Amino acid sequence: MSSRTHSPPRVAVLADSDTRWKWGALTAHRLAPGGRLDGFLLRGRATPTVRQLAEVGARADALTEVTGTEFVRTADRSRYDVIVLSCVGGAVQAMVHGLARSWAGQRRRPAVVTGY
């Protein structure tokens, strides 16, 4: 039984392109309707522009461009209940390994969702 039943779930989405941002944000909204959605755009060749994000139409409560290391430092149980990794396979694998190392020894951690 979750101890957080009194407030909406907090979700972080990490995406590396506009198409994957759309998938990740819409998945997050389906998983946690009414929850807070913080978007993180992985800095790189395909980082979406403001125009691309506006055209996609999937909104977030906050949106930040980050490196993989910055995301790993940010994503923990005190901030998020669910993390959606919406990136290419190599980036997902790197994030899963980084998050596992960051969360080592913690009894509780966010649920991690991947796919695409």
Side-chain angles (χ1 to χ4, degrees):
M1 179 81 119
S2 173
S3 62
R4 291 193 30 81
T5 57
H6 63 282
S7 62
R10 303 160 302 172
V11 183
V13 174
L14 177 68
D16 61 0
S17 71
D18 58 332
T19 303
R20 284 184 277 279
W21 165 251
K22 183 176 182 178
W23 178 87
L26 295 176
T27 297
H29 286 300
R30 281 191 298 265
L31 290 171
R36 177 176 174 80
L37 172 58
D38 290 345
F40 295 90
L41 303 174
L42 190 58
R43 190 172 297 134
R45 293 183 331 205
T47 304
T49 65
V50 172
R51 181 187 59 77
Q52 287 173 312
L53 293 172
E55 290 173 357
V56 165
R59 304 281 181 239
D61 295 302
L63 200 55
T64 307
E65 186 176 315
V66 296
T67 65
T69 301
E70 290 167 338
F71 180 75
V72 167
R73 288 182 184 146
T74 301
D76 63 34
R77 180 64 184 182
S78 67
R79 291 190 179 114
Y80 301 107
D81 301 299
V82 178
I83 294 174
V84 178
L85 299 176
S86 184
C87 305
V88 294
V92 168
Q93 185 177 18
M95 291 300 103
V96 168
H97 285 287
L99 291 169
R101 185 176 200 113
S102 174
W103 298 337
Q106 293 185 16
R107 290 184 48 197
R108 296 189 61 182
R109 57 189 183 269
V112 176
V113 177
T114 67
Y116 185 70

